[in-house]
Amino acid sequence: MSTYTDASLIYYPSGYKAGKAYSLKPTDGSGDLDFTRASNGTRVNSAGLVEDVPWNLASYSETFNNAAWVKTRTTITANTTTAPNGTLTADTFTLTPGPGAGVYQAVNGVSNNYTISVYAKYVSGDKYLYFFSPSNSQGAKVWFDIQNGTVSNQLSGFTGTIEDAGNGWYKCSMYNTTQAVLNYIQIQISTTNSNTTLSNNSVSYFWGAQVNIGATAKPYFPTTDRLNVPRIDFTSGCGTLLLEPQRSNLQTQSNGFLSNWTKNDVNTSVGESTLISGETTTLMTETATNAVHRVVSVSTASLTIGSVYTISFYAKANGTRNIGLRTGFTGSSANIIFNPNTQTAVSVPAGFTTNITAANDGYYRYSITATAGAASDLISVVMFDGTSLVYTGTTESIYISAIQTEVGSFSTSYIPTLGTAVTRTQDSASKSGISSLIGQTEGTIFLDTKYLSAGATSSPRWFKVFGVSDEIGLAINGVNSVRAIINGISDTITTAPKTDLGVKIAFAYNGTGVVLFINGVEYALPFGGSQIMSSLDSILFDAGANPQFQQADVNSFMVFKTRLSDTELAALTTL
């Protein structure tokens, strides 16, 4: 068997854009997955850093005539010339004299170090492109000569760079080193390199606006509404399609330990930049007093009594102190303590479970889960001397970052917040109308996945291939329980390998029924195995709103229009 030759559809996480996850085969786009998530999200990138998806915080980055861009003394003519990427998508800006000639767009209060960039090409008239920052009332910061390709002026706290992009195009970038809050991205033209007034008519081409967290401009990522962008996640080291249910971070200052959390007998300072792209962690240092050494959230999270919650945070050892959470959300105060040097739970009160996962550069994510017994909670991140809450400090320290409180029995990807709770909506990938790619009366469906969490016995189908009258579906009831659903008939495989360690699953079908292989072993389907398929034309991966629904990484997915032999199925699914 030649996998590539014989398969009719192959998905392997690689290329993507808003609304699409590209399949490896077929190459004409007919097998590309349609992707939806009505919000942005985060992932772990190939460098091991947590980053926004999409990382471009500007919307409609190539569509300056869109209403998202407010125009001042500027007429936009869309798609008039060839952009740096070779497409006819660059816009003409025709500007008339006066102050503030250009365009601007509101962004969502970025409080980190950030970089603004845009591609510009001079045509005629005045030539100085400038960026306003951090808001539309605080003045220009960097000026670029887009006729001669130079940074002509920059003010303190901001650094400009300009790169030749070919054919008269320049990529102009401005880095903010002050961490002032960015509320707007503004792209404007002036007559000199020190003012914000246009004295003469000016014509220029623009394309590819971007705002990203960090000290340099990341590779340009085109945007429209910034929604429905797939997340290729590298937590495991290899790229996987991350699919998660909807979650909200109830902590309103998720990384605000420096200035937005109350400090009790600790000092906080800027830590490292090796965990979250463009952000720093916080170094928490105990004072030399006999006290509780902690930071306390300034906002109280509202909880629903009886619901299950998970609180997570990142930490890295920088001495001998333990780290933990002090919380009252179960109805009484509790200390959950971790040793960041050994990555173990030191003290776990009754009613709590814990989880520890590795992150980048010695950081680990520590999670606690319990059922709420109180209607609110004011969380503290606390340093411990062993298990002692009160002790005399010796100015030891520890790195902390990115706290999250969410409803559910497991932690999901980090959801940054800045003053209010934030919701990341559910992920869904699907494809319909592809009966030509799926065998109707015989075929094989292969899925290589890792389930990061599992549902209960009532959980719906997380994955299915279906048509008008037929369906082959899959649910995960627990870490060692796969449930196959064939035409509505369930078979629970309670002896299957642990799904949180990764599984390779294949369904094969023909005129004699359906068989199931998991990790090289065939499992009986006594109830649904006799079903005969005749109409299959759609695929669905859906991390739905059901609270029992699964979270998973998809490593690969393949469809064959023939029923592979048992020997081939065993070989295909062997880990």
Side-chain angles (χ1 to χ4, degrees), residues 350-421:
F352 287 89
T353 60
T354 62
N355 188 54
I356 303 171
T357 56
N360 195 51
D361 190 39
Y363 284 88
Y364 286 80
R365 194 180 195 187
Y366 298 89
S367 300
I368 66 171
T369 300
T371 300
S376 63
D377 184 40
L378 191 66
I379 195 76
S380 299
V381 181
V382 188
M383 298 176 70
F384 292 89
D385 182 15
T387 58
S388 297
L389 174 66
V390 179
Y391 65 92
T392 301
T394 58
T395 67
E396 285 207 43
S397 59
I398 193 167
Y399 294 103
I400 60 172
S401 187
I403 191 167
Q404 184 156 304
T405 298
E406 56 192 307
V407 178
S409 60
F410 56 92
S411 61
T412 63
S413 61
Y414 173 51
I415 305 171
T417 64
L418 187 65
T420 60

Side-chain angles (χ1 to χ4, degrees), residues 1-11 24-27 436-439 443-446 557-562 564 572:
M1 177 186 66
S2 170
T3 298
Y4 185 85
T5 300
D6 295 342
S8 55
L9 190 156
I10 301 175
Y11 173 74
L24 184 64
K25 182 183 180 181
T27 58
S436 62
L437 299 177
I438 304 174
T444 302
I445 302 157
F446 169 77
F557 169 71
M558 290 188 289
V559 174
F560 299 82
K561 296 177 71 174
T562 58
L564 301 183
L572 184 64

Side-chain angles (χ1 to χ4, degrees), residues 246-251 300-313 325 327-331 336 351-355 365-379 404-412 421 547:
Q246 178 171 305
R247 288 291 179 89
S248 298
N249 187 356
L250 305 181
Q251 293 294 332
T300 300
S302 296
L303 309 176
T304 300
I305 294 175
S307 293
V308 175
Y309 289 82
T310 295
I311 305 174
S312 60
F313 70 103
L325 298 174
T327 175
F329 84 85
T330 58
I336 304 90
F352 287 89
T353 60
T354 62
N355 188 54
R365 194 180 195 187
Y366 298 89
S367 300
I368 66 171
T369 300
T371 300
S376 63
D377 184 40
L378 191 66
I379 195 76
Q404 184 156 304
T405 298
E406 56 192 307
V407 178
S409 60
F410 56 92
S411 61
T412 63

